[in-house]
Amino acid sequence: MTEDTRVLYNADCPVCSFEIDHYAKYSEGRALPIRFEDLNCIDMTDWGLSRDKAARRLYVLRGGQMYSGIPAFIVLWQDMPRYHWLARIVSLPGLHWLASKAYDYALAPLIYKWHLRRQAAATSTES
């Protein structure tokens, strides 16, 4: 496990926050060195991403390297003892390919579109 794992997520997204909140509680309860950063509340300079780009998928920084999508989940799971098995399974070549395609072309775009609709609804309510 590394000392500098950072997870960037969108806490305004109900799907994202539900999952990441679970990981954060698990990590906190075991004093794991993982920081969870809400893209809506931090300076994005360290990440080198716009908020919009960051809202499109999960990002993890570990050891100075950035991961996104399924590779980011795998890195996160590797740092949490309860989820080592999941990291190993999703890392298997065929399953990794399938999970990456499902996340990249179905799940992440769907969740991002939902995010945009929530933003548009919030903006129209404020007007």
Side-chain angles (χ1 to χ4, degrees), residues 47-64:
W47 290 91
L49 301 167
S50 68
R51 290 188 200 287
D52 183 65
K53 184 171 183 176
R56 294 172 183 261
R57 55 196 303 114
L58 180 74
Y59 287 91
V60 172
L61 272 174
R62 181 169 67 177

Side-chain angles (χ1 to χ4, degrees), residues 28-84:
E28 184 180 320
R30 284 147 190 85
L32 300 177
I34 303 171
R35 285 191 291 159
F36 297 87
E37 301 177 19
D38 175 7
L39 66 88
N40 302 291
C41 300
I42 64 163
D43 178 3
M44 296 291 292
T45 306
D46 285 356
W47 290 91
L49 301 167
S50 68
R51 290 188 200 287
D52 183 65
K53 184 171 183 176
R56 294 172 183 261
R57 55 196 303 114
L58 180 74
Y59 287 91
V60 172
L61 272 174
R62 181 169 67 177
Q65 185 168 350
M66 187 179 323
Y67 302 86
S68 71
I70 292 300
F73 280 102
I74 290 170
V75 167
L76 176 58
W77 294 332
Q78 287 171 340
D79 278 356
M80 298 187 302
R82 177 187 283 173
Y83 295 96
H84 286 176

